[in-house]
Amino acid sequence: EMSGLEGLLSLRVLMLGKNRIRKIAGLQALFKLDVLDLHGNMIRDIENLDHLSHLRVLNLAGNDLTCVSNLRGLQALTELNLRRNRITHVYGVDELPNLQRLFLSHNLIQSFDDVACLSQCSFLTELTLDGTPLSNSPDHRLSVIFHIRHLKILDQRPITDEEKSEALAAAREEEERLKEMHRQAQMQACGSTAVAMPKAGG
């Protein structure tokens, strides 16, 4: 349990890693908190953090989180560590205007659709997705680079200009392929309609 923190009004750094904590609570008075480390606990939900408008670093690695949400109030957050959870979807990260570094390694993220909000993160420069099902896809790196244009480091490897060009080319190819599939489908639909039309005066 997180208790006894009410009188620590000037506290800026709180380290409570590996304490078997199940619920984020008791932080109501800690408006000045700058760093919060809750790694290695048993936390299932991100909650009761909305008032921490000065928090810059949040470490929730190694917990039991399955979904990322309830982050809206963390307007100063620059680094969010969510490694080694059971996360399948990420929501609301695009509501963090100053987020620069996000660590999602070793979670259960299947596709980029599960983290689509990341493409709206204006200042995100570093991201990790290694150890997720998504990272097993052969083209996942190019896909992520294309969708998050301002990213500089992915899975601890700097993104090169060549990779950016490849990602753009691959995206254009995929767009053309989808257009062609749509065109073929329309032609087939029109053909089916024509066959089904009865002959005039029959």
Side-chain angles (χ1 to χ4, degrees), residues 107 109-110 129-141 155:
N107 277 289
I109 297 161
Q110 300 282 341
L129 289 164
D130 53 298
T132 66
L134 169 59
S135 69
N136 293 329
S137 169
D139 60 347
H140 98 277
R141 187 171 172 87
D155 297 336

Side-chain angles (χ1 to χ4, degrees), residues 178-190:
L178 291 174
K179 280 182 181 177
E180 179 61 21
M181 284 176 61
H182 183 65
R183 190 179 69 82
Q184 293 287 349
Q186 282 186 319
M187 288 177 63
Q188 288 180 0
C190 289

Side-chain angles (χ1 to χ4, degrees), residues 75-134:
Q75 297 298 294
L77 199 69
T78 60
E79 180 176 316
L80 179 57
N81 188 348
L82 298 168
R83 290 185 178 104
R84 301 186 313 280
N85 278 277
R86 296 182 291 116
I87 295 166
T88 57
H89 292 83
V90 175
Y91 302 108
V93 174
D94 52 323
E95 296 174 343
L96 304 175
N98 292 297
L99 188 66
Q100 298 173 22
R101 308 176 74 203
L102 176 61
F103 306 113
L104 289 166
S105 308
H106 302 287
N107 277 289
L108 303 178
I109 297 161
Q110 300 282 341
S111 73
F112 190 81
D113 289 342
D114 299 332
V115 294
C117 63
L118 299 187
S119 61
Q120 304 300 316
C121 294
S122 304
F123 293 100
L124 190 65
T125 57
E126 183 174 356
L127 173 68
T128 64
L129 289 164
D130 53 298
T132 66
L134 169 59

Side-chain angles (χ1 to χ4, degrees), residues 19-32:
N19 273 285
R20 299 186 179 181
I21 295 168
R22 294 179 180 273
K23 183 180 177 68
I24 301 174
L27 303 175
Q28 294 88 339
L30 308 186
F31 292 103
K32 295 184 179 181

